[in-house]
Structure formats: C-alpha cells, structure tokens
Amino acid sequence: MTEFAIQTQDLQYRPGPGFEIRDLSLRVREGAIYGFLGPNGAGKTTTIQLLLGLRRAQGGSMRILGREAPRELPRILSATGYVPERPHLYTYLTVAQAIRYHGAFYERFDWAYAEDLRRGFQLPQGASISRLSKGEVGKLLILLVLAQRPDLLVLDEPTDGLDPVVRRDVLTALLDFCAQRAATVFISSHLVHELERICDWIGVMDRGRLTAELPMHAFKNGIKRIRLAHAPSLVGDTPFTLVSRESSGLDVVWVVRGWQPPMVQWFQGVGAEILEVVDLDLEEGFVELLRGARSAQAI
Amino acid sequence: MFKQVLFAQWLSSRLALALLSVLAFALPLVSVFYGSDIATVGRGSLGEWLVVTDRVAQVLPFFAVLVGALLGVLAWTYDIAGRHVYALSLPVPRAVFVALRFGAGTVLALVPSAALAAGAAVASLAVQLPPGVRAYPLELSVRFTLATLTVYAIIFALASASRRGQLAIIGAISAAILLDLGLLAFGASFSVTAETLNALTTWPGPLSILVGRWALFDV
C-alpha cells in the first residue's frame, strides 16, 4: 500500500475555451476523509470524472490506490465506490434489482450488509427507482457503494438537495463504514459546515486550480482575520500566507493562512500593531481563501 | 454478470419485445389468411394466393430492420440518458461492457426470431399445399434471424459510438448526397450513394441478407 490513496501530478484538461483544469496536483492520504470544496463551476465534478476515467486527462499523471490511472482503471474501480453528482442508476429497476445488478460487478460486494442497510434506510425492495424520492435515491446510492466494501469512496455532492434527516442518515452510515474499514473518502460538497464536521483534510478548488490543500485543523485554526494599525504597505517574506488585505478606516484588515501565535513577533518587527485576531469558521475561511486567490489571479 | 445485464436489458425492452414477437408470430400466419385448403383450389386461385403470400413476405425484411434497429437503440437508451456514467464507473473494461450489452441484445433479438419461426411453422402446417408448392419455414426463420442480427449489430455500433463518431457518419452521408447532387448538376450518370448502397446490398455486402426473395411458400 502507498501513502496516498489519490495522487495526481500536474493534471491538465481543457474541454473547450473558457474552462480548464490546470496543473492539478492532489494528494489524498490513505484513510483520510478529504473534503473537496469549491464554488459552482470550479471544476470539482470534472476533477472527479478525470480521476475515475469518465473523462480523459490531456496531461499529467494520476495514481489511485497505488495504481496508475487510467491504465489500471478496472482494478481501481473495483475498489472504489462512486456516487455521482446526478443519480445514474437505471430508473426502470426496482431497489432489489438495482442491488443485484450493481453487486454482480463487484467481487467484494457484501449482500448481507446491503440488506442491513436497505432495512436501516427503509427502502422498499419492490419499489421502482423512478418512483423513489430524492432522499431515497440518495440512500440507495450510498447503500450500493458501501456494500461494495471499497477502499476509496468518491462522493460528488452526495447530500445535495437532501433533507436534514436523510443527510444525517447518509453521513452516519458513511462514518460508520469509515470507522469499520478505515477507507479513504473523497467528498465534494457545497455544504461547508457539513464537511467541517466530518473531514480531516480539505482541498479548495477554484476556476480549475487547487487553491489550497491542508489538514482541517490547520485550515480551521490557521486562518485568521487580523486587524492592524501601522500595517506595512509592502509585504516581503512572511511566516504565514497573506490571503487578502483591505483597509477599514485607519486600520487595515489582513486575512492570513498558516497563523501561529508566535508570529506576533513578525508584526512587531515590521512596526505593526495587532489590534485584534479573529478566528474564522470554515465557511468564512473558505470565502476569504477564494477571494484572496481570485484577487491574486486578477493581479 | 451477464445474467444481470441480460435481465436488466430484458426489463427495459420487454414491452417492445412482446409487441414485436406477437407481430413476428402473426406475419407468417397472414400468408394463410386466404384459406387453408389450397390443394383443392384451381390454378388461377393458387397463383393469386402465391402473390398474396409473396406480398406478405416482402414485409419481412422491413420488419427485420425494425426489430434490429429497435433492439440496437434500446440496448443503449438508458446509458445514453445517463451519459454512460453508470456503465463507465463499473469495474469492467469498456470492451467487456460493450460485449455484455451486445450479447444480451443478441439473445433478446432471438425472441422475435423464435416467434417468427413458430408462426412460420404453424402457417406451414395449417395449409395443404398442392404438388409443386413447398413451404420454407426454416429457411425463412434463419434468414429473418440473420437479417435482424445484422441490422441490430449496425445500429448497436452506431448507438454506442461517441457523438464525434456519430457526427462523422452523418457528415459522410451528407457529403455523399451533396456530391451526388453536384454530379447530377454536371450530367454525370455515376452516383456515390447508389454505388455505396449497391455495394452494401450485394453479396458479400453486409445488407445483402435483406434483399432477394423472402418467401414462406414457393414452388
């Protein structure tokens, strides 16, 4: 086994003018629950599709579960559970038929576990998928991928549009599975607070580029909004990453990443006075991170 | 795995298959609609009867095209609707999945063929033929099966092709028609479309099975 469940190097993909995935280098550690954040159109779904061979990258390399993609794709997919952004199951099948169909393709498919999950999710065996509610389809998709007993779960907005009760059921089943098997989870979502609760790593995607990739604790604790007096106008080498800065009356507000308390000394060294250090929650940090990345691109 | 693909494909196309099978069974029977005791009728009536059966037989190649085309399209309908995401995310090489789909469709295509064979057999047994006239239920059934499978294979390949591939085929056909119009404007007697169709429908062209005589009863 390798250290990373997913590792890409300088991945390139340009489906047409106006959008491209550029120099994408992802590193998802084995056993991690990796939250893949980004605004609409950032390239999250495209990245997932590239990882799973649904689209062909035009450059770069990928290793998934220690295997080279897309060359060893069938072997990778046999150990990967995928929940796409839009449900992809054949809608004319019933729940039981969909389970039998899906399970036939996976050697490790756990039929007893699938049945347990079906009962737990209260999915009627004979109901046609076309007649299931959105929440029930979401549960069925999670059931199918968990019963595969995968080493890697790739979930593209798995709880999008689900009500809070269903969302909780789905995430509970997911976390139970991860606790049992130490599987790696790569989950993209718009719901920042949801990821904050379950993820231990985070990657932020914007306009086809990976803007940040760091442990969740570093993201949550390391992003600060600092109000300064006498802030330097030119910033040279800093022990942190300056995400953004803006004037607020006489003061200046900096948003920094990689903050640690001893860095106070750096400000004293440049003659600035720290008036206030504010913790940002994940959503605020995410927004500031995107804002900083976009203004840097604009420059 | 194949069993599940076959079952799923059967579920998605069972209504069409049932309807096609009923039609396939009924078509040969139409040949004997005009009476079952042909041995006793006069020469003129026999000739008339053979003309009618021949007309019914002429429908069969078109019916084979319909069955093959419908099954070829139905094999991919739900995958196309889902942009092939489910199929491509399954842990089998693409070629294997295509083979599974093709195999399942082939098995299903045999259902209307079997119905036609049964209908042809019943029709053959239902009439007392005069000397010199023979029934060819087996030959007709084999021909129908081969024609159905040929058309199914072509439509299956077209339906599974990428959008770029499909556009290339449509482009080639359009170019041939435009070229013909150009040739026609210059008074040329050569037609690319006609020559291509001729090559396809003349032995050993793949569609040659569709032309020629399709007769259940003949001398």
Side-chain angles (χ1 to χ4, degrees):
Chain A
M1 296 291 265
T2 55
E3 191 186 351
F4 297 107
I6 299 175
Q7 192 171 10
T8 71
Q9 190 66 45
D10 299 328
L11 214 57
Q12 314 282 341
Y13 179 70
R14 188 181 166 85
F19 177 76
E20 65 176 339
I21 299 281
R22 212 164 97 183
D23 303 329
L24 182 66
S25 297
L26 277 174
R27 278 180 177 76
V28 180
R29 289 176 186 279
E30 279 194 356
I33 301 183
Y34 186 105
F36 199 40
L37 275 171
N40 287 332
K44 302 189 297 295
T45 296
T46 305
T47 301
I48 286 172
Q49 290 178 338
L50 287 171
L51 294 174
L52 298 178
L54 301 175
R55 293 172 188 254
R56 294 273 167 156
Q58 289 152 349
S61 61
M62 292 186 281
R63 285 190 79 78
I64 298 168
L65 297 173
R67 297 181 187 280
E68 194 184 318
R71 197 167 58 85
E72 296 179 87
L73 207 53
R75 285 191 165 203
I76 292 168
L77 292 175
S78 69
T80 303
Y82 171 49
V83 173
E85 189 183 21
R86 289 180 198 155
H88 60 337
L89 302 172
Y90 302 135
T91 50
Y92 59 87
L93 297 177
T94 63
V95 169
Q97 287 164 351
I99 293 171
R100 278 201 297 274
Y101 182 86
H102 193 79
F105 286 89
Y106 296 89
E107 279 178 21
R108 298 199 304 218
F109 197 84
D110 189 332
W111 300 95
Y113 184 49
E115 181 56 19
D116 286 348
L117 284 171
R118 189 192 66 74
R119 286 172 197 267
F121 284 156
Q122 296 178 318
L123 291 170
Q125 283 196 75
S128 167
I129 293 174
S130 61
R131 289 173 185 251
L132 295 181
S133 68
K134 194 170 183 180
E136 287 173 322
V137 173
K139 285 178 182 177
L140 179 59
L141 287 167
I142 288 288
L143 177 161
L144 293 175
V145 296
L146 295 185
Q148 281 173 229
R149 296 286 184 189
D151 297 323
L152 170 66
L153 279 158
V154 179
L155 314 173
D156 192 358
E157 310 270 3
T159 58
D160 192 31
L162 304 185
D163 68 54
V165 177
V166 175
R167 196 183 302 154
R168 191 197 58 198
D169 288 352
V170 164
L171 290 177
T172 304
L174 185 66
L175 291 174
D176 283 351
F177 178 79
C178 292
Q180 286 169 27
R181 273 193 69 92
T184 308
V185 181
F186 186 81
I187 178 168
S188 93
S189 179
H190 288 109
L191 304 170
V192 180
H193 289 298
E194 186 174 279
L195 293 186
E196 188 171 11
R197 222 155 37 90
I198 62 170
C199 295
D200 48 21
W201 270 79
I202 200 131
V204 180
M205 191 88 178
D206 187 35
R207 295 176 179 175
R209 292 179 196 190
L210 192 65
T211 308
E213 185 177 58
L214 65 168
M216 178 63 90
H217 66 83
F219 192 82
K220 279 166 73 173
N221 301 327
I223 295 194
K224 308 283 181 190
R225 185 183 289 130
I226 303 172
R227 199 156 59 83
L228 297 165
H230 318 299
S233 52
L234 289 172
V235 182
D237 286 339
T238 55
F240 47 80
T241 306
L242 180 58
V243 174
S244 68
R245 60 177 169 179
E246 57 189 53
S247 296
S248 169
L250 291 173
D251 305 331
V252 174
V253 175
W254 285 15
V255 175
V256 302
R257 185 152 64 89
W259 171 260
Q260 285 172 359
M263 292 174 187
V264 170
Q265 289 171 357
W266 181 87
F267 286 97
Q268 290 166 350
V270 296
E273 185 188 347
I274 296 179
L275 302 174
E276 190 182 24
V277 178
V278 179
D279 289 330
L280 299 186
D281 67 15
L282 187 66
E283 190 158 318
E284 287 175 310
F286 168 64
V287 171
E288 291 294 349
L289 203 65
L290 284 184
R291 193 188 293 172
R294 288 183 178 182
S295 57
Q297 279 178 30
I299 292 163
Chain B
M1 206 185 294
F2 178 71
K3 205 174 116 188
Q4 285 302 323
V5 173
L6 175 61
F7 181 64
Q9 218 154 305
W10 154 254
L11 283 175
S12 70
S13 51
R14 64 189 190 279
L15 282 176
L17 268 176
L19 186 66
L20 293 172
S21 299
V22 168
L23 281 172
F25 183 77
L27 274 172
L29 294 173
V30 176
S31 303
V32 291
F33 183 73
Y34 283 95
S36 58
D37 196 8
I38 304 302
T40 57
V41 300
R43 186 173 285 271
S45 299
L46 178 63
E48 200 177 287
W49 184 79
L50 280 174
V51 167
V52 171
T53 60
D54 214 32
R55 277 193 195 139
V56 173
Q58 282 170 15
V59 174
L60 288 175
F62 295 101
F63 185 61
V65 169
L66 175 73
V67 173
L70 206 56
L71 289 177
V73 169
L74 283 173
W76 290 111
T77 301
Y78 284 88
D79 284 309
I80 290 168
R83 297 184 168 201
H84 297 279
V85 169
Y86 194 24
L88 291 175
S89 64
L90 292 170
V92 286
R94 290 177 187 192
V96 172
F97 188 80
V98 172
L100 288 170
R101 273 255 176 278
F102 184 77
T106 303
V107 172
L108 295 179
L110 296 179
V111 177
S113 297
L116 184 114
V122 170
S124 306
L125 293 171
V127 287
Q128 288 181 310
L129 295 169
V133 177
R134 278 190 58 199
Y136 298 92
L138 182 65
E139 289 82 349
L140 185 74
S141 305
V142 169
R143 188 171 195 144
F144 179 80
T145 305
L146 289 175
T148 302
L149 291 179
T150 303
V151 176
Y152 164 70
I154 292 167
I155 300 299
F156 179 92
L158 288 175
S160 63
S162 64
R163 185 159 292 187
R164 195 177 293 176
Q166 289 171 339
L167 285 174
I169 292 163
I170 292 168
I173 293 169
S174 307
I177 292 169
L178 284 174
L179 188 62
D180 275 353
L181 289 173
L183 289 170
L184 198 67
F186 285 101
S189 58
F190 181 80
S191 163
V192 177
T193 324
E195 288 298 322
T196 310
L197 276 175
N198 192 38
L200 287 171
T201 54
T202 310
W203 177 258
L207 299 179
S208 59
I209 188 82
L210 292 168
V211 295
R213 268 185 73 70
W214 288 60
L216 177 57
F217 301 104
D218 206 348
V219 289

